[in-house]
Structures are given as C-alpha cells and as structure tokens.
Amino acid sequence: MNAVFVDVDTGIDDALALIYLLASPDADVLGIASTGGNIHVEQVCANNLGLLELCGAPSIPVSRGADEPLHGRWSHRSKFHGPSGLGYAELPATDRRVTGYDATGAWVRAARSHPGTLTGLVTGPLTNLALALRREPALPTLLRRLVIMGGAFGPDTNPMAEWNIRVDPEAANEVLAGWSRRGQPPIVCGLDLTRRVAMTPDILARLSAQATGAGGSRLMTVIEDAMRFYFESHEERGYGYTAFMHDPLAAAVALDPQLISTRAATVDVELADVPTRGVTVADMSGSRKPNALIGVHVDPAAFFDRLVERVGRFVNRVGA
C-alpha cells in the first residue's frame, strides 16, 4: 500500500489523476493540497472537495495553498481547462470543507506522521512544496519518494517553458535544490514523456463501456464532459481530437515507478526575466550531482490498460 500526499491545481487531467488514485487498491490518499495554477485556488479547493463527494471517498483532508508564486504575480491563467477547471463537467454540491491549516502545514504534517513511507505527488506549480521545504528542510529525507509532473526535456518539445514550472520557476528551483542536498532525486515526468500518453475517443469509449450503475453513470458523465472539453482544447491548439494525460501518468508512476524508465540528470531552471523564463535544461553527462530522475520512456498501451481497468472498476463500485 502506498501512502500518498497529492498537491494539485485541479484542472481536467489533475481530476483524472485524483480519480485514478482513489480507484487504485494500492493507494491510500492521506491528504490533498490545493494550489492556484490552471484556476484560482478557491476553485481548486471546490473541485477537490466536489470530486471526493462524487467518488464517495472517505474524509480526506483538503487544504488551501498558494494562489500566487513565490515572487511576483501570475500574469494570466490557463484557458485549456475552462472557467471552472473541469471543462463542461459539473460536480455535486457538498458539505465538505477545507482544513483549518494551510497546504504548507499539510505537507509537513503528512511527512512527519509517515516518515520514510509517504509518496509525494505534485501535478501543479511547486509553490506549496517549496514553502513546506522552507518550514521543514528535512522533507526530502522524510518522503519515500517524490514525483513531479513538470518541465520539458526532449528535442521535440516547445522551447518555451512547461506550465507548472513557468508559473513559479523559483519554487521549482528551490525544490530541486532541496532534494539535491538531501534525499533521493524526485522522479520528473516532463512533457516529452507525458505527451506520449494521449487519450483518444476510442480509449474513452472503452472506459465508458464499463459504467453500469446510476452512481457510476454520474461519475462517468463528469469524466466524459471534462474530456470532451479537453479534446476540443487540444484540437484548437493543433494536436488533434486527443488529450495528453500528463497528470494521470504521474499519478500512476507515483504508485509504480517501474511504469517508466528514467535517467539521472541535473536540471537547471531559467530564473531570469527573459522569454525562456521557467525553461528546464537537463544535464545528463554525470559530471554534476543529479537532482532529478527524468522519465524517458513509457509504454502507452500498458498505461491505458491500467487506467481503464482501475477507473472502470471504480466507476462500477461507485455506482453499486
């Protein structure tokens, strides 16, 4: 069983990552930190609470985190997930509320309560984790492992920065520096890896075919409505009627790192106020101490088989 603490800026793929974790028998989600990114942090909190309600999840603590980067302000929000962050999907009302402590405290509480056994997963900006690292410098040694969705390292990716790093490059730099001094390097799933796992209407249809009960139908409707918006968003950006599963892949890797192969690297983050601010550059020469294990290969079919099987069963269980 993997004890997991998740830090998200819940847009569409973050939501599917959370559903994947809740659906996984080998995952015990101990807490959820909310950070602004795709949308404002208040909406992220609402999305996390609504998803837990929809999924009939236990009372998992959801904490409010940062809504601005460590330095300055975010100039804009992503439009790729819609105004609510979940595309066309609508979540149920809920009486669930956020905790009385912030996301920084939530990270530290979880790590201290489960030393050496907790897996951290970040699928949004790294602001909350950077602040937690300032409060508890031993975090890298307290966590069993850390998985980050962020960055871009391959020759075929856009030379501009990946979103999660670009909105708070200082936070990303602090986290990588902290982990280079202590603990095991985090596993980093960059765009060149996550763009190899693209949801298609056919794969979504495989998942939909498993939904049977009324409750499951409600969950499946949310997934389908969110994915329809995501397909359209990708098509508008020239990727075709498909959708990259950035965050679900990172969630799957958090539970089973063997799903991907990695290479040790020293990652530098561009911090200057230039057009390439937030760009990640990986030195894989071995001449410097590594601060990341960069994902370099994944079997998309194996990943989607696992996602369809786990989420499909979960949809039916929710509907039972």
Side-chain angles (χ1 to χ4, degrees):
M1 181 67 71
N2 293 280
V4 185
F5 184 87
V6 190
D7 198 319
V8 289
D9 62 336
T10 306
I12 294 168
D13 55 332
D14 305 77
L16 197 54
L18 285 173
I19 293 169
Y20 180 91
L21 291 173
L22 294 172
S24 297
D26 53 343
D28 182 12
V29 180
L30 300 181
I32 300 172
S34 307
T35 182
N38 291 313
I39 48 178
H40 287 287
V41 71
E42 289 80 8
Q43 185 64 54
V44 174
C45 292
N47 288 352
N48 291 334
L49 295 168
L51 280 169
L52 293 178
E53 184 72 23
L54 179 68
C55 293
S59 184
I60 298 171
V62 174
S63 300
R64 185 189 189 279
D67 201 33
E68 296 291 349
L70 294 179
H71 303 291
R73 300 180 64 85
W74 293 336
S75 58
H76 67 282
R77 304 283 175 166
S78 169
K79 299 179 180 178
F80 303 148
H81 301 262
S84 74
L86 295 180
Y88 300 122
E90 295 184 6
L91 295 174
T94 179
D95 293 329
R96 300 179 189 231
R97 296 290 181 265
V98 296
T99 64
Y101 47 89
D102 65 10
T104 301
W107 266 107
V108 174
R109 282 174 178 233
R112 287 175 176 169
S113 299
H114 300 81
T117 63
L118 183 68
T119 295
L121 170 64
V122 184
T123 64
L126 287 148
T127 316
N128 291 334
L129 182 54
L131 293 171
L133 184 60
R134 290 179 181 183
R135 185 178 299 184
E136 175 51 274
L139 268 180
T141 60
L142 290 172
L143 293 185
R144 177 186 180 191
R145 62 174 165 262
L146 173 65
V147 178
I148 297 168
M149 190 282 121
F153 306 98
D156 298 328
T157 53
N158 190 312
M160 301 305 289
E162 178 274 331
W163 172 263
N164 288 340
I165 307 300
R166 175 160 58 95
V167 297
D168 197 343
E170 280 80 11
N173 189 62
E174 286 193 22
V175 168
L176 292 173
W179 257 259
S180 71
R181 290 191 292 268
R182 308 175 72 173
Q184 188 129 324
I187 299 171
V188 180
C189 300
L191 292 181
D192 39 305
L193 181 77
T194 60
R195 283 179 176 169
R196 298 180 195 175
V197 289
M199 177 76 82
T200 65
D202 287 344
I203 296 173
L204 184 61
R206 284 173 52 197
L207 180 57
S208 300
Q210 300 195 43
T212 55
S217 294
R218 288 192 293 273
L219 175 55
M220 197 63 232
T221 296
V222 164
I223 294 172
E224 290 171 334
D225 287 348
M227 287 307 307
R228 180 161 49 89
F229 186 96
Y230 215 28
F231 286 149
E232 293 172 1
S233 172
H234 280 71
E235 187 173 44
E236 289 175 1
R237 287 179 279 157
Y239 296 116
Y241 201 73
T242 187
F244 302 129
M245 294 288 95
H246 310 290
D247 298 342
L249 177 61
V253 170
L255 301 184
D256 182 7
Q258 300 305 312
L259 276 176
I260 63 172
S261 56
T262 62
R263 287 188 64 183
T266 306
V267 175
D268 295 304
V269 182
E270 177 60 72
L271 302 180
D273 189 14
V274 294
T276 54
R277 175 173 164 80
V279 164
T280 47
V281 179
D283 177 1
M284 299 185 183
S285 67
S287 61
R288 301 160 62 196
K289 184 179 180 180
N291 60 6
L293 300 174
I294 296 175
V296 294
H297 178 73
V298 62
D299 181 344
F303 164 72
F304 278 113
D305 283 347
R306 190 171 298 195
L307 183 144
V308 169
E309 188 266 337
R310 291 189 179 203
V311 176
R313 286 188 180 182
F314 184 63
V315 166
N316 287 334
R317 192 161 72 246
V318 169

